């Protein structure tokens, strides 16, 4: 596996020490990030990802300047040129820079890190129901921040139970999202996904699937769903899909230790996304 890293304007070795120990992204997780799909050496949906990065930073009380945005774009270009014409994943991370050993901030230039690696997406997911919930009223609900410890813990629990993703309810008992993905439920001939009011991340793949589904006539829409809808998946009366830039549209074929079926709308959604993604590099 090849990994390319760019930090604050220059390419560096992945094992090279490049960040201050006092960077606020390290000490308190004060930053935001985006993960993009790389298709044959090209970034996919970069404009949408940069727009969401800016929204996350604004939600943290940080404003991405024109120069900082340009640095992100420069880093993406440098990393992809070095990576070459391969499929993979790319991550842009922006932190508030050097800060104190505490939650307070001091003025500092942002730290910008861009890293990419070649990788192959799995075609299906093994998911588990998480014992923890997402707080839809959190100060960072819906923001893609580097404060990711909750997701790390929930995903580690899922992996220990044989899965590769954990599905979370919110505090109201509604289906919310995965640790790094959005979730869709196929039921009644439709593919339904929780609305953003559930506290889920406004996923780029989720957003595009809703748009492209509407364009093509595929029955995909938002709907408030109880977390107990996952019982229907276990009984065979519904099917699941998880979506993200690291998964695209990925049917769930195993839930909580038991095989589950894949629905026809789910398969059509996976095919639709794969086809249109090849046609539109920056939708």
């Amino acid at each position: 596996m090849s990994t390319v890293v760019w930090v604050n304007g220059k390419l560096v070795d992945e094992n090279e020490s490049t960040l201050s120990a006092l960077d606020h992204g390290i000490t308190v997780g004060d930053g935001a990030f985006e993960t993009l799909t790389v298709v044959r050496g090209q970034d996919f949906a970069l404009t949408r990802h940069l727009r969401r990065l800016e929204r996350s930073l604004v939600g943290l009380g940080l404003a991405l300047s024109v120069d900082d945005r340009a640095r992100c774009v420069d880093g993406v270009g440098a990393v992809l040129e070095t990576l070459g014409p391969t499929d993979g994943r790319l991550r842009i991370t922006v932190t508030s820079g050097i800060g104190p050993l505490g939650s307070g901030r001091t003025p500092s230039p942002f730290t910008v890190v861009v890293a990419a690696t070649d990788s192959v997406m799995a075609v299906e997911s093994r998911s588990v129901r998480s014992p923890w919930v997402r707080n839809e009223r959190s100060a960072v609900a819906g923001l893609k921040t580097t404060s990711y410890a909750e997701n790390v813990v929930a995903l580690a629990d899922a992996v220990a139970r044989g899965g590769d993703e954990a599905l979370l309810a919110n505090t109201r008992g509604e289906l919310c999202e995965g640790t790094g993905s959005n979730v869709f439920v196929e039921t009644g001939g439709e593919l339904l996904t929780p609305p953003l009011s559930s506290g889920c991340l406004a996923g780029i793949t989720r957003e595009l699937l809703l748009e492209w589904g509407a364009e093509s006539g595929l029955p995909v829409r938002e709907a408030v769903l109880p977390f107990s809808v996952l019982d229907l998946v276990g009984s065979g009366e519904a099917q699941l899909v998880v979506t993200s830039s690291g998964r695209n549209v990925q049917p769930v074929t195993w839930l909580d230790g038991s095989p589950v079926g894949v629905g026809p709308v789910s398969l059509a959604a996976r095919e639709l996304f794969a086809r249109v993604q090849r046609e539109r590099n920056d939708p």
Side-chain angles (χ1 to χ4, degrees):
M1 179 178 292
S2 175
T3 302
V4 182
V5 182
W6 179 99
V7 180
N8 287 336
K10 67 175 184 177
L11 293 167
V12 298
D13 185 88
E14 61 182 291
N15 297 314
E16 184 178 342
S17 297
T18 54
L19 297 184
S20 167
L22 298 182
D23 191 290
H24 232 212
I26 296 173
T27 56
V28 296
D30 189 19
F33 75 98
E34 286 293 315
T35 301
L36 290 69
T37 305
V38 176
V39 182
R40 295 185 295 275
Q42 298 295 314
D43 51 80
F44 174 70
L46 178 60
T47 299
R48 290 185 190 238
H49 280 284
L50 289 174
R51 190 182 303 139
R52 188 175 64 178
L53 177 64
E54 294 183 69
R55 289 201 305 267
S56 292
L57 289 168
V58 167
L60 291 172
L62 302 168
L64 193 69
S65 70
V66 173
D67 288 344
D68 290 324
R69 192 181 194 279
R71 281 204 291 159
C72 293
V73 173
D74 289 345
V76 170
V79 164
L80 290 181
E81 182 179 2
T82 305
L83 187 67
T86 186
D87 292 342
R89 301 176 66 185
L90 180 145
R91 173 170 165 145
I92 306 169
T93 304
V94 178
T95 81
S96 61
I98 295 174
L101 293 175
S103 298
R105 293 179 180 137
T106 54
S108 175
F110 286 177
T111 297
V112 179
V113 178
V114 181
T117 185
D118 57 308
S119 63
V120 178
M121 289 187 188
V123 296
E124 57 192 39
S125 171
R126 297 164 61 90
S127 296
V128 302
R129 276 173 269 211
S130 177
W132 298 286
V133 299
R134 186 73 82 216
N135 180 6
E136 72 282 357
R137 299 177 63 191
S138 164
V140 295
L143 305 182
K144 199 170 181 67
T145 76
T146 56
S147 303
Y148 231 55
E150 284 189 345
N151 297 303
V152 171
V153 171
L155 181 57
D157 174 70
V159 171
R161 293 158 59 191
D164 57 58
E165 179 58 301
L167 306 179
L168 298 102
N170 62 18
T171 66
R172 298 191 295 256
E174 301 164 349
L175 181 63
C176 185
E177 62 181 349
T179 65
S181 66
N182 292 107
V183 58
F184 289 74
V185 178
E186 181 176 341
T187 181
E190 294 183 291
L191 206 54
L192 309 177
T193 191
L196 300 184
S197 59
S198 69
C200 69
L201 182 72
I204 302 301
T205 305
R206 170 191 181 275
E207 179 177 276
L208 289 171
L209 182 56
L210 286 167
E211 292 180 16
W212 294 348
E215 286 180 14
S216 67
L218 192 71
V220 184
R221 63 181 176 90
E222 294 183 331
V224 176
L225 299 164
F227 195 62
S228 59
V229 73
L230 298 183
D231 294 336
L232 297 179
V233 178
S235 68
E237 297 177 26
Q239 294 80 37
L240 281 178
V241 165
V242 288
T243 66
S244 73
S245 294
R247 298 174 183 270
N248 278 356
V249 178
Q250 196 177 74
V252 175
T253 59
W254 184 96
L255 180 66
D256 293 330
S258 299
V260 294
V262 179
V265 183
S266 301
L267 292 174
R270 181 173 67 181
E271 181 181 344
L272 170 68
F273 193 89
R275 175 175 56 80
V276 182
Q277 183 185 55
R278 291 191 296 268
E279 298 169 353
R280 306 180 192 178
N281 182 59
D282 197 21

